Amino acid sequence: MSIKSVASENQIRLARYAKAMGHPVRMYVLDLISKQSCCYSGDLSEELPIAKSTLSQHLKELKAAGLIQGEIEAPKIKYCLNKENWKEAQQLFKSFLGL
Amino acid sequence: MSIKSVASENQIRLARYAKAMGHPVRMYVLDLISKQSCCYSGDLSEELPIAKSTLSQHLKELKAAGLIQGEIEAPKIKYCLNKENWKEAQQLFKSFLGL
DNA sequence: TCCTTTGTTCGCAAATCTACGAACAGGATG
DNA sequence: CATCCTGTTCGTAGATTTGCGAACAAAGGA
């Protein structure tokens, strides 16, 4: 029997979002994107002291968690919030935190 | 140069809290405690399909992140929210999510 | 005192995460 | 076409996380 049979769907989704937010680099990216609506990974790569391959992996994880989405704007990629899921995350955290 | 020299204090704290929330078991526990103000780990142990040593580790992590605190009520231990840090977390998430 | 109850710590294994550089892919541009 | 620019994927290494059972510690009750 797994934890998934005991925890609620919302708890599991919340844990998924929280996990994606659980790293300073990803938090930095999310915070930036949520404040300015979008950004380019090239810019991030210049600001952050990590290899671009590492950044790419973090962005991939944020995408996999559904928090952001990338849009090709050749030759760059523009990253924005995934608005639908962001709303869900807002709702879930709000309810969980009792806000 | 580390990410910590680039990310803000708030981003780092938020990432820390989020990381602690980033597992279904811990999310389950936090959700329960926040709704009923406190609980006993023995009860959790019965509800959750994990070894008590594993549960103990998860509780330890939540304590280390500052989200909960334990109070001995012999022979059991009563876990409650760490209200001070919970408030901070509420504030940080609220601001981050734009609520 | 001995036993039970409660929970932690230890030692271990498997899985996941974090990070890097090298190699690669796909568009623009000369 | 050859080259540059962007970003991803691959292979690898080391650290951390997750999970278990066994052993241990502390405190209360028989």
Side-chain angles (χ1 to χ4, degrees), chain B residues 54-95:
Chain B
T54 304
L55 175 60
S56 186
Q57 277 183 96
H58 283 301
L59 292 172
K60 189 178 174 183
E61 244 185 276
L62 288 173
K63 241 189 294 183
L67 287 169
I68 67 172
Q69 57 193 9
E71 192 182 332
I72 295 172
E73 213 168 83
K76 302 182 182 182
I77 296 182
K78 186 170 80 170
Y79 285 100
C80 311
L81 288 183
N82 179 321
K83 287 183 186 170
E84 197 179 334
N85 290 330
W86 183 256
K87 266 184 207 165
E88 190 202 25
Q90 283 179 316
Q91 208 43 58
L92 289 170
F93 275 103
K94 190 175 167 183
S95 158

mmCIF file of all heavy atoms in Angstrom, chain B residues 54-95:
data_model
loop_
_atom_site.group_PDB
_atom_site.id
_atom_site.type_symbol
_atom_site.label_atom_id
_atom_site.label_comp_id
_atom_site.label_asym_id
_atom_site.label_seq_id
_atom_site.Cartn_x
_atom_site.Cartn_y
_atom_site.Cartn_z
ATOM 1 N N THR B 54 10.703 5.537 9.277
ATOM 2 C CA THR B 54 10.605 6.445 8.122
ATOM 3 C C THR B 54 9.792 7.677 8.495
ATOM 4 O O THR B 54 10.173 8.811 8.175
ATOM 5 C CB THR B 54 9.950 5.725 6.934
ATOM 6 O OG1 THR B 54 10.689 4.549 6.638
ATOM 7 C CG2 THR B 54 9.920 6.617 5.708
ATOM 8 N N LEU B 55 8.696 7.459 9.179
ATOM 9 C CA LEU B 55 7.888 8.584 9.630
ATOM 10 C C LEU B 55 8.706 9.507 10.523
ATOM 11 O O LEU B 55 8.649 10.737 10.393
ATOM 12 C CB LEU B 55 6.659 8.075 10.392
ATOM 13 C CG LEU B 55 5.786 9.150 11.032
ATOM 14 C CD1 LEU B 55 5.229 10.107 9.995
ATOM 15 C CD2 LEU B 55 4.647 8.503 11.825
ATOM 16 N N SER B 56 9.467 8.908 11.405
ATOM 17 C CA SER B 56 10.294 9.686 12.320
ATOM 18 C C SER B 56 11.246 10.599 11.549
ATOM 19 O O SER B 56 11.468 11.754 11.917
ATOM 20 C CB SER B 56 11.077 8.735 13.217
ATOM 21 O OG SER B 56 11.792 9.441 14.199
ATOM 22 N N GLN B 57 11.784 10.064 10.464
ATOM 23 C CA GLN B 57 12.687 10.872 9.651
ATOM 24 C C GLN B 57 11.965 12.048 9.001
ATOM 25 O O GLN B 57 12.501 13.156 8.932
ATOM 26 C CB GLN B 57 13.325 10.019 8.560
ATOM 27 C CG GLN B 57 14.516 9.235 9.021
ATOM 28 C CD GLN B 57 15.144 8.461 7.884
ATOM 29 O OE1 GLN B 57 16.095 8.906 7.265
ATOM 30 N NE2 GLN B 57 14.605 7.291 7.579
ATOM 31 N N HIS B 58 10.766 11.793 8.509
ATOM 32 C CA HIS B 58 10.001 12.874 7.876
ATOM 33 C C HIS B 58 9.668 13.963 8.897
ATOM 34 O O HIS B 58 9.771 15.150 8.605
ATOM 35 C CB HIS B 58 8.717 12.323 7.253
ATOM 36 C CG HIS B 58 8.943 11.613 5.952
ATOM 37 N ND1 HIS B 58 9.517 12.227 4.863
ATOM 38 C CD2 HIS B 58 8.660 10.350 5.564
ATOM 39 C CE1 HIS B 58 9.582 11.364 3.860
ATOM 40 N NE2 HIS B 58 9.076 10.214 4.261
ATOM 41 N N LEU B 59 9.290 13.536 10.089
ATOM 42 C CA LEU B 59 8.978 14.508 11.132
ATOM 43 C C LEU B 59 10.223 15.311 11.516
ATOM 44 O O LEU B 59 10.157 16.511 11.748
ATOM 45 C CB LEU B 59 8.405 13.797 12.362
ATOM 46 C CG LEU B 59 7.024 13.162 12.153
ATOM 47 C CD1 LEU B 59 6.629 12.320 13.355
ATOM 48 C CD2 LEU B 59 5.969 14.233 11.897
ATOM 49 N N LYS B 60 11.333 14.606 11.535
ATOM 50 C CA LYS B 60 12.601 15.270 11.840
ATOM 51 C C LYS B 60 12.911 16.369 10.818
ATOM 52 O O LYS B 60 13.385 17.442 11.161
ATOM 53 C CB LYS B 60 13.710 14.215 11.845
ATOM 54 C CG LYS B 60 15.049 14.676 12.352
ATOM 55 C CD LYS B 60 16.006 13.487 12.342
ATOM 56 C CE LYS B 60 17.424 13.877 12.706
ATOM 57 N NZ LYS B 60 18.330 12.711 12.602
ATOM 58 N N GLU B 61 12.609 16.049 9.571
ATOM 59 C CA GLU B 61 12.862 17.024 8.511
ATOM 60 C C GLU B 61 11.949 18.236 8.632
ATOM 61 O O GLU B 61 12.371 19.376 8.424
ATOM 62 C CB GLU B 61 12.645 16.371 7.141
ATOM 63 C CG GLU B 61 13.909 16.308 6.337
ATOM 64 C CD GLU B 61 13.641 15.779 4.952
ATOM 65 O OE1 GLU B 61 13.592 14.543 4.764
ATOM 66 O OE2 GLU B 61 13.433 16.606 4.060
ATOM 67 N N LEU B 62 10.700 17.976 8.947
ATOM 68 C CA LEU B 62 9.758 19.081 9.116
ATOM 69 C C LEU B 62 10.186 19.958 10.289
ATOM 70 O O LEU B 62 10.040 21.175 10.259
ATOM 71 C CB LEU B 62 8.341 18.544 9.335
ATOM 72 C CG LEU B 62 7.671 17.944 8.102
ATOM 73 C CD1 LEU B 62 6.340 17.299 8.466
ATOM 74 C CD2 LEU B 62 7.442 19.023 7.036
ATOM 75 N N LYS B 63 10.715 19.301 11.308
ATOM 76 C CA LYS B 63 11.205 20.050 12.467
ATOM 77 C C LYS B 63 12.428 20.871 12.063
ATOM 78 O O LYS B 63 12.539 22.038 12.406
ATOM 79 C CB LYS B 63 11.574 19.077 13.593
ATOM 80 C CG LYS B 63 10.762 19.272 14.865
ATOM 81 C CD LYS B 63 11.320 18.439 16.018
ATOM 82 C CE LYS B 63 11.193 16.939 15.785
ATOM 83 N NZ LYS B 63 11.672 16.130 16.950
ATOM 84 N N ALA B 64 13.339 20.231 11.327
ATOM 85 C CA ALA B 64 14.562 20.917 10.910
ATOM 86 C C ALA B 64 14.253 22.123 10.024
ATOM 87 O O ALA B 64 14.945 23.141 10.072
ATOM 88 C CB ALA B 64 15.474 19.940 10.171
ATOM 89 N N ALA B 65 13.208 21.991 9.217
ATOM 90 C CA ALA B 65 12.812 23.115 8.361
ATOM 91 C C ALA B 65 12.096 24.186 9.163
ATOM 92 O O ALA B 65 11.851 25.284 8.673
ATOM 93 C CB ALA B 65 11.929 22.617 7.218
ATOM 94 N N GLY B 66 11.750 23.855 10.384
ATOM 95 C CA GLY B 66 11.117 24.834 11.256
ATOM 96 C C GLY B 66 9.616 24.921 11.138
ATOM 97 O O GLY B 66 9.005 25.838 11.666
ATOM 98 N N LEU B 67 9.009 23.960 10.459
ATOM 99 C CA LEU B 67 7.565 24.050 10.232
ATOM 100 C C LEU B 67 6.746 23.471 11.379
ATOM 101 O O LEU B 67 5.624 23.888 11.619
ATOM 102 C CB LEU B 67 7.193 23.360 8.913
ATOM 103 C CG LEU B 67 7.613 24.140 7.666
ATOM 104 C CD1 LEU B 67 7.460 23.300 6.409
ATOM 105 C CD2 LEU B 67 6.783 25.419 7.541
ATOM 106 N N ILE B 68 7.296 22.502 12.078
ATOM 107 C CA ILE B 68 6.580 21.928 13.213
ATOM 108 C C ILE B 68 7.488 21.873 14.432
ATOM 109 O O ILE B 68 8.699 22.053 14.328
ATOM 110 C CB ILE B 68 6.048 20.511 12.914
ATOM 111 C CG1 ILE B 68 7.211 19.523 12.751
ATOM 112 C CG2 ILE B 68 5.159 20.511 11.684
ATOM 113 C CD1 ILE B 68 6.774 18.075 12.654
ATOM 114 N N GLN B 69 6.882 21.587 15.543
ATOM 115 C CA GLN B 69 7.661 21.371 16.765
ATOM 116 C C GLN B 69 6.983 20.282 17.582
ATOM 117 O O GLN B 69 5.769 20.111 17.527
ATOM 118 C CB GLN B 69 7.773 22.665 17.556
ATOM 119 C CG GLN B 69 6.448 23.281 17.922
ATOM 120 C CD GLN B 69 6.605 24.710 18.418
ATOM 121 O OE1 GLN B 69 7.682 25.300 18.345
ATOM 122 N NE2 GLN B 69 5.520 25.272 18.932
ATOM 123 N N GLY B 70 7.806 19.541 18.314
ATOM 124 C CA GLY B 70 7.287 18.444 19.120
ATOM 125 C C GLY B 70 7.308 18.791 20.590
ATOM 126 O O GLY B 70 8.189 19.507 21.052
ATOM 127 N N GLU B 71 6.319 18.270 21.284
ATOM 128 C CA GLU B 71 6.219 18.543 22.713
ATOM 129 C C GLU B 71 5.973 17.204 23.392
ATOM 130 O O GLU B 71 5.052 16.473 23.009
ATOM 131 C CB GLU B 71 5.029 19.467 22.930
ATOM 132 C CG GLU B 71 4.925 20.089 24.293
ATOM 133 C CD GLU B 71 3.661 20.954 24.357
ATOM 134 O OE1 GLU B 71 3.235 21.466 23.306
ATOM 135 O OE2 GLU B 71 3.091 21.063 25.445
ATOM 136 N N ILE B 72 6.795 16.881 24.371
ATOM 137 C CA ILE B 72 6.644 15.597 25.025
ATOM 138 C C ILE B 72 5.422 15.611 25.930
ATOM 139 O O ILE B 72 5.257 16.504 26.768
ATOM 140 C CB ILE B 72 7.899 15.252 25.839
ATOM 141 C CG1 ILE B 72 9.089 15.078 24.879
ATOM 142 C CG2 ILE B 72 7.688 13.975 26.634
ATOM 143 C CD1 ILE B 72 10.406 14.920 25.591
ATOM 144 N N GLU B 73 4.587 14.616 25.733
ATOM 145 C CA GLU B 73 3.399 14.468 26.563
ATOM 146 C C GLU B 73 3.369 12.975 26.883
ATOM 147 O O GLU B 73 2.634 12.205 26.285
ATOM 148 C CB GLU B 73 2.165 14.881 25.760
ATOM 149 C CG GLU B 73 1.085 15.508 26.606
ATOM 150 C CD GLU B 73 0.024 16.156 25.728
ATOM 151 O OE1 GLU B 73 -0.865 15.414 25.266
ATOM 152 O OE2 GLU B 73 0.064 17.373 25.503
ATOM 153 N N ALA B 74 4.228 12.614 27.812
ATOM 154 C CA ALA B 74 4.575 11.219 28.037
ATOM 155 C C ALA B 74 3.351 10.312 28.107
ATOM 156 O O ALA B 74 2.364 10.690 28.728
ATOM 157 C CB ALA B 74 5.375 11.096 29.327
ATOM 158 N N PRO B 75 3.451 9.131 27.498
ATOM 159 C CA PRO B 75 4.634 8.629 26.795
ATOM 160 C C PRO B 75 4.659 9.011 25.324
ATOM 161 O O PRO B 75 5.499 8.512 24.587
ATOM 162 C CB PRO B 75 4.450 7.120 26.934
ATOM 163 C CG PRO B 75 2.968 6.932 26.876
ATOM 164 C CD PRO B 75 2.349 8.159 27.465
ATOM 165 N N LYS B 76 3.763 9.880 24.903
ATOM 166 C CA LYS B 76 3.721 10.233 23.490
ATOM 167 C C LYS B 76 4.396 11.578 23.236
ATOM 168 O O LYS B 76 4.829 12.247 24.167
ATOM 169 C CB LYS B 76 2.269 10.308 23.015
ATOM 170 C CG LYS B 76 1.476 9.036 23.201
ATOM 171 C CD LYS B 76 0.095 9.246 22.646
ATOM 172 C CE LYS B 76 -0.783 8.023 22.846
ATOM 173 N NZ LYS B 76 -2.101 8.213 22.255
ATOM 174 N N ILE B 77 4.411 11.942 21.958
ATOM 175 C CA ILE B 77 4.910 13.258 21.588
ATOM 176 C C ILE B 77 3.833 13.953 20.774
ATOM 177 O O ILE B 77 3.284 13.366 19.828
ATOM 178 C CB ILE B 77 6.207 13.160 20.766
ATOM 179 C CG1 ILE B 77 7.302 12.542 21.627
ATOM 180 C CG2 ILE B 77 6.630 14.536 20.280
ATOM 181 C CD1 ILE B 77 8.635 12.439 20.926
ATOM 182 N N LYS B 78 3.535 15.146 21.182
ATOM 183 C CA LYS B 78 2.519 15.912 20.468
ATOM 184 C C LYS B 78 3.203 16.872 19.512
ATOM 185 O O LYS B 78 4.071 17.636 19.921
ATOM 186 C CB LYS B 78 1.654 16.692 21.462
ATOM 187 C CG LYS B 78 0.481 17.389 20.816
ATOM 188 C CD LYS B 78 -0.488 17.955 21.851
ATOM 189 C CE LYS B 78 0.006 19.261 22.426
ATOM 190 N NZ LYS B 78 -1.028 19.933 23.255
ATOM 191 N N TYR B 79 2.805 16.811 18.252
ATOM 192 C CA TYR B 79 3.381 17.711 17.259
ATOM 193 C C TYR B 79 2.406 18.831 16.935
ATOM 194 O O TYR B 79 1.217 18.587 16.720
ATOM 195 C CB TYR B 79 3.732 16.948 15.988
ATOM 196 C CG TYR B 79 4.983 16.112 16.151
ATOM 197 C CD1 TYR B 79 4.914 14.743 16.396
ATOM 198 C CD2 TYR B 79 6.241 16.709 16.075
ATOM 199 C CE1 TYR B 79 6.060 13.990 16.571
ATOM 200 C CE2 TYR B 79 7.398 15.954 16.240
ATOM 201 C CZ TYR B 79 7.295 14.605 16.476
ATOM 202 O OH TYR B 79 8.433 13.863 16.645
ATOM 203 N N CYS B 80 2.945 20.041 16.887
ATOM 204 C CA CYS B 80 2.159 21.219 16.522
ATOM 205 C C CYS B 80 2.920 22.000 15.465
ATOM 206 O O CYS B 80 4.096 21.766 15.238
ATOM 207 C CB CYS B 80 1.964 22.135 17.719
ATOM 208 S SG CYS B 80 1.403 21.319 19.200
ATOM 209 N N LEU B 81 2.220 22.947 14.873
ATOM 210 C CA LEU B 81 2.895 23.867 13.980
ATOM 211 C C LEU B 81 3.854 24.720 14.790
ATOM 212 O O LEU B 81 3.585 25.045 15.949
ATOM 213 C CB LEU B 81 1.889 24.796 13.303
ATOM 214 C CG LEU B 81 0.991 24.202 12.227
ATOM 215 C CD1 LEU B 81 0.117 25.301 11.642
ATOM 216 C CD2 LEU B 81 1.812 23.546 11.129
ATOM 217 N N ASN B 82 4.957 25.096 14.175
ATOM 218 C CA ASN B 82 5.815 26.110 14.738
ATOM 219 C C ASN B 82 5.214 27.433 14.263
ATOM 220 O O ASN B 82 5.430 27.864 13.136
ATOM 221 C CB ASN B 82 7.238 25.937 14.217
ATOM 222 C CG ASN B 82 8.188 26.991 14.746
ATOM 223 O OD1 ASN B 82 7.825 28.153 14.864
ATOM 224 N ND2 ASN B 82 9.393 26.578 15.067
ATOM 225 N N LYS B 83 4.446 28.029 15.133
ATOM 226 C CA LYS B 83 3.610 29.157 14.688
ATOM 227 C C LYS B 83 4.382 30.320 14.101
ATOM 228 O O LYS B 83 3.953 30.928 13.136
ATOM 229 C CB LYS B 83 2.738 29.633 15.859
ATOM 230 C CG LYS B 83 1.618 28.647 16.142
ATOM 231 C CD LYS B 83 0.695 29.121 17.261
ATOM 232 C CE LYS B 83 -0.315 28.009 17.599
ATOM 233 N NZ LYS B 83 -1.066 28.312 18.832
ATOM 234 N N GLU B 84 5.517 30.588 14.710
ATOM 235 C CA GLU B 84 6.301 31.722 14.222
ATOM 236 C C GLU B 84 6.734 31.502 12.777
ATOM 237 O O GLU B 84 6.514 32.341 11.900
ATOM 238 C CB GLU B 84 7.516 31.885 15.131
ATOM 239 C CG GLU B 84 8.212 33.220 15.027
ATOM 240 C CD GLU B 84 9.397 33.279 15.999
ATOM 241 O OE1 GLU B 84 9.361 32.568 17.018
ATOM 242 O OE2 GLU B 84 10.343 34.020 15.711
ATOM 243 N N ASN B 85 7.333 30.340 12.546
ATOM 244 C CA ASN B 85 7.810 30.054 11.198
ATOM 245 C C ASN B 85 6.667 29.809 10.219
ATOM 246 O O ASN B 85 6.782 30.101 9.035
ATOM 247 C CB ASN B 85 8.747 28.854 11.210
ATOM 248 C CG ASN B 85 10.053 29.177 11.889
ATOM 249 O OD1 ASN B 85 10.499 30.328 11.864
ATOM 250 N ND2 ASN B 85 10.672 28.187 12.491
ATOM 251 N N TRP B 86 5.590 29.262 10.719
ATOM 252 C CA TRP B 86 4.426 29.057 9.858
ATOM 253 C C TRP B 86 3.937 30.401 9.330
ATOM 254 O O TRP B 86 3.621 30.540 8.150
ATOM 255 C CB TRP B 86 3.318 28.339 10.630
ATOM 256 C CG TRP B 86 2.107 28.017 9.836
ATOM 257 C CD1 TRP B 86 0.913 28.655 9.858
ATOM 258 C CD2 TRP B 86 1.951 26.948 8.889
ATOM 259 N NE1 TRP B 86 0.027 28.073 8.994
ATOM 260 C CE2 TRP B 86 0.636 27.020 8.390
ATOM 261 C CE3 TRP B 86 2.801 25.937 8.416
ATOM 262 C CZ2 TRP B 86 0.144 26.122 7.430
ATOM 263 C CZ3 TRP B 86 2.318 25.049 7.465
ATOM 264 C CH2 TRP B 86 1.012 25.145 6.993
ATOM 265 N N LYS B 87 3.925 31.374 10.208
ATOM 266 C CA LYS B 87 3.512 32.716 9.790
ATOM 267 C C LYS B 87 4.448 33.258 8.720
ATOM 268 O O LYS B 87 4.014 33.867 7.747
ATOM 269 C CB LYS B 87 3.522 33.673 10.992
ATOM 270 C CG LYS B 87 2.183 33.799 11.678
ATOM 271 C CD LYS B 87 2.270 34.852 12.795
ATOM 272 C CE LYS B 87 1.260 34.558 13.891
ATOM 273 N NZ LYS B 87 1.545 35.320 15.129
ATOM 274 N N GLU B 88 5.730 33.020 8.953
ATOM 275 C CA GLU B 88 6.691 33.502 7.958
ATOM 276 C C GLU B 88 6.454 32.822 6.623
ATOM 277 O O GLU B 88 6.456 33.462 5.566
ATOM 278 C CB GLU B 88 8.130 33.240 8.424
ATOM 279 C CG GLU B 88 9.154 33.946 7.546
ATOM 280 C CD GLU B 88 10.537 33.320 7.614
ATOM 281 O OE1 GLU B 88 10.657 32.111 7.935
ATOM 282 O OE2 GLU B 88 11.493 34.022 7.346
ATOM 283 N N ALA B 89 6.240 31.503 6.688
ATOM 284 C CA ALA B 89 5.994 30.762 5.455
ATOM 285 C C ALA B 89 4.741 31.285 4.762
ATOM 286 O O ALA B 89 4.731 31.494 3.542
ATOM 287 C CB ALA B 89 5.865 29.269 5.759
ATOM 288 N N GLN B 90 3.691 31.504 5.519
ATOM 289 C CA GLN B 90 2.465 32.062 4.939
ATOM 290 C C GLN B 90 2.775 33.358 4.208
ATOM 291 O O GLN B 90 2.358 33.567 3.067
ATOM 292 C CB GLN B 90 1.452 32.370 6.052
ATOM 293 C CG GLN B 90 0.725 31.175 6.602
ATOM 294 C CD GLN B 90 -0.230 31.580 7.717
ATOM 295 O OE1 GLN B 90 0.125 32.373 8.597
ATOM 296 N NE2 GLN B 90 -1.435 31.047 7.696
ATOM 297 N N GLN B 91 3.532 34.207 4.893
ATOM 298 C CA GLN B 91 3.854 35.508 4.329
ATOM 299 C C GLN B 91 4.662 35.377 3.053
ATOM 300 O O GLN B 91 4.380 36.016 2.043
ATOM 301 C CB GLN B 91 4.628 36.306 5.384
ATOM 302 C CG GLN B 91 4.464 37.790 5.274
ATOM 303 C CD GLN B 91 3.018 38.176 4.999
ATOM 304 O OE1 GLN B 91 2.121 37.853 5.765
ATOM 305 N NE2 GLN B 91 2.775 38.860 3.884
ATOM 306 N N LEU B 92 5.666 34.506 3.103
ATOM 307 C CA LEU B 92 6.533 34.328 1.940
ATOM 308 C C LEU B 92 5.773 33.759 0.753
ATOM 309 O O LEU B 92 5.919 34.230 -0.379
ATOM 310 C CB LEU B 92 7.706 33.409 2.301
ATOM 311 C CG LEU B 92 8.774 33.990 3.231
ATOM 312 C CD1 LEU B 92 9.739 32.919 3.689
ATOM 313 C CD2 LEU B 92 9.528 35.107 2.519
ATOM 314 N N PHE B 93 4.964 32.745 1.003
ATOM 315 C CA PHE B 93 4.208 32.140 -0.103
ATOM 316 C C PHE B 93 3.182 33.121 -0.649
ATOM 317 O O PHE B 93 2.981 33.211 -1.857
ATOM 318 C CB PHE B 93 3.538 30.847 0.347
ATOM 319 C CG PHE B 93 4.423 29.649 0.257
ATOM 320 C CD1 PHE B 93 5.020 29.108 1.393
ATOM 321 C CD2 PHE B 93 4.690 29.048 -0.969
ATOM 322 C CE1 PHE B 93 5.847 28.008 1.313
ATOM 323 C CE2 PHE B 93 5.519 27.945 -1.065
ATOM 324 C CZ PHE B 93 6.099 27.429 0.079
ATOM 325 N N LYS B 94 2.552 33.821 0.253
ATOM 326 C CA LYS B 94 1.547 34.789 -0.159
ATOM 327 C C LYS B 94 2.164 35.824 -1.102
ATOM 328 O O LYS B 94 1.633 36.102 -2.177
ATOM 329 C CB LYS B 94 0.995 35.476 1.090
ATOM 330 C CG LYS B 94 -0.214 36.341 0.863
ATOM 331 C CD LYS B 94 -0.724 36.858 2.208
ATOM 332 C CE LYS B 94 -1.741 37.968 2.022
ATOM 333 N NZ LYS B 94 -2.174 38.519 3.324
ATOM 334 N N SER B 95 3.287 36.338 -0.685
ATOM 335 C CA SER B 95 3.946 37.353 -1.492
ATOM 336 C C SER B 95 4.447 36.768 -2.812
ATOM 337 O O SER B 95 4.290 37.364 -3.874
ATOM 338 C CB SER B 95 5.090 37.943 -0.677
ATOM 339 O OG SER B 95 6.051 38.535 -1.493
#
